[in-house]
């Protein structure tokens, strides 16, 4: 399973669980595209995201001046907030 993490102009980051298929996938093909999980914890835009190179963790930074640490396998459970 592959994951993609994005920031947004909203106070959320989005975690996409991507399905891996050998055939091209159309954007409107929801069954094969994968799923999206909204990571909530910021009060303003999420400007930056980063992933850990060896562990399945991620970090987001927002315009609210906070940094959040997330656990990816648990569908984005917040590990630490308010840095």
């Amino acid at each position: 399973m592959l994951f993609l993490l994005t920031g947004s102009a909203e106070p959320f980051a989005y975690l996409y669980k991507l399905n891996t298929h050998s055939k091209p996938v159309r954007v409107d093909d929801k069954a094969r595209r994968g799923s999206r999980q909204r990571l909530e914890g910021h009060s303003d835009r999420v400007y930056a995201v980063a992933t850990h190179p060896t562990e399945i963790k991620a970090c987001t930074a927002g315009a609210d001046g906070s940094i959040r640490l997330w656990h990816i396998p648990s569908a984005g459970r917040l590990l630490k907030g308010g840095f």
Side-chain angles (χ1 to χ4, degrees):
M1 181 71 60
L2 295 175
F3 296 96
L4 172 67
L5 181 66
T6 67
S8 73
E10 302 169 332
F12 314 114
Y14 291 97
L15 174 65
Y16 295 86
K17 296 175 189 171
L18 305 175
N19 293 327
T20 54
H21 297 283
S22 58
K23 296 179 183 178
V25 176
R26 290 174 36 127
V27 173
D28 61 349
D29 187 355
K30 292 181 183 178
R32 293 180 55 208
R33 184 176 61 214
S35 62
R36 178 178 81 169
Q37 174 75 30
R38 185 167 74 180
L39 305 182
E40 300 178 9
H42 290 280
S43 61
D44 204 347
R45 298 176 180 176
V46 177
Y47 282 128
V49 298
T51 57
H52 194 281
T54 59
E55 296 182 32
I56 308 175
K57 295 179 182 173
C59 184
T60 57
D64 58 3
S66 69
I67 297 171
R68 305 279 192 249
L69 180 63
W70 307 91
H71 185 250
I72 300 303
S74 64
R77 179 174 57 88
L78 182 63
L79 293 175
K80 295 277 184 180
F83 293 106

